[in-house]
Every structure is written in C-alpha cells, then in structure tokens.
Amino acid sequence: MKQGEWHRSCQHKSYRLTCADYEALVAEAGNRCQICGTPGPSTWRRKLVIDHDHEVGQWAVRGLLCPPCNTTLPEGRTPAAEQAAYLAAPWYARFVQPLTLPEPDDGAGVSDGINGLWERSGDLWFPRKGYYREPRTWQWLLHMFGPHRIRIPKEQA
C-alpha cells in the first residue's frame, strides 16, 4: 500500500487519517483510552473510537477514547483533570502549525492531499478531480482536509 492510501473498510478515512496515521495513533495510545486507560478490546465496542475537534475540522483528530469517555466530552461540561490534560494536547497539533493557510490567488490550483484537485475561480474552489462535485469555499477546504494536507504547487507558493 502506498503512503496516503486506505483499505476499503477503514473507518478512519472519514477523519482524513491514512492507515499509517491510524496505526501510529493506536501505537502511541498503547491501544488504551487516552483519558481513563481502558484497553480497546475491553470496551463494549471492542475497540476505541476516534475523537476529533468539531470546531477545528473533521481532520482534527485529538486521540482515541473508549465510548464512555468520548460521550462525556461535549461542550458545556466541566472536564475532569484527565479530560483537561487530554484536551490540552491534541494529537493533530503536532502536525499542524499554524491552523490557517493563506488562500492562493484566483486561478490557482491545489491538491487536498487525498487525490482531489481544486481550482480557484473568484471566491469559490471548483473540484477538478476527486469525490466532491460542488464548488466550495477556502474555509470549507481547510475545515475538511486541514492545512497540513492541502498542497500548493511550488510555482504558486
């Protein structure tokens, strides 16, 4: 399997994680919940779930949690010490600095890092290759794919 590819059955691809990314995340967590330490096979789902930061984007994976810890993280609840420590050091922050990327000029093209090609025309980005069919905004591209996955050709940078 080439770098950046997925198996057809991979659940982690919706979070823009390659199989290698996911395996590294599992290894780093020791296949245990990153808040309470429950082993993945001991959970009622028999595996840990991927937790991501909804406000930052689908790609912003914070870590792996058991289902009970994942459901106690919604906004508005005061986090316990373990939750606070987990939330203070999200996994994605190691790979993405800063969280924004300047929008290229009109007529520019970019890759979303997942086999999609986009071209800017006016205020919108139009898909030239990939799954998506509708034009999108730059903020949408950053939210879905993350600034670490968007590739701007060198001649445009």
Side-chain angles (χ1 to χ4, degrees):
M1 181 176 308
K2 294 179 186 173
Q3 182 178 358
E5 289 186 357
W6 297 283
H7 300 104
R8 282 194 186 274
S9 63
C10 294
Q11 297 291 322
H12 52 271
K13 69 182 174 182
S14 65
Y15 298 98
R16 311 304 185 251
L17 291 176
T18 64
C19 291
D21 292 336
Y22 179 72
E23 289 166 10
L25 182 59
V26 171
E28 184 176 314
N31 199 21
R32 293 181 168 274
C33 174
Q34 293 180 274
I35 292 177
C36 71
T38 300
S42 298
T43 69
W44 64 270
R45 286 187 164 188
R46 305 277 185 247
K47 65 179 182 176
L48 299 171
V49 295
I50 297 171
D51 171 51
H52 74 288
D53 189 330
H54 296 264
E55 290 185 23
V56 175
Q58 185 73 12
W59 58 272
V61 172
R62 290 188 285 217
L64 295 173
L65 301 176
C66 66
C69 285
N70 192 43
T71 58
T72 61
L73 281 178
E75 299 108 35
R77 295 189 185 183
T78 305
E82 294 84 5
Q83 288 177 332
Y86 168 76
L87 293 172
W91 187 71
Y92 72 85
R94 294 168 224 188
F95 309 106
V96 183
Q97 294 297 330
L99 290 177
T100 60
L101 186 64
E103 185 171 10
D105 296 330
D106 196 10
V110 299
S111 166
D112 61 28
I114 308 191
N115 301 324
L117 300 174
W118 298 81
E119 187 174 289
R120 182 177 177 190
S121 180
D123 291 337
L124 295 175
W125 287 84
F126 292 84
R128 295 295 175 235
K129 179 184 173 193
Y131 172 79
Y132 297 97
R133 302 287 181 246
E134 298 174 12
R136 306 292 182 158
T137 64
W138 183 245
Q139 290 305 82
W140 184 91
L141 288 172
L142 291 176
H143 187 82
M144 286 303 293
F145 303 106
H148 65 302
R149 293 263 190 242
I150 301 227
R151 302 286 180 252
I152 301 171
K154 290 184 182 181
E155 62 270 6
Q156 295 177 36

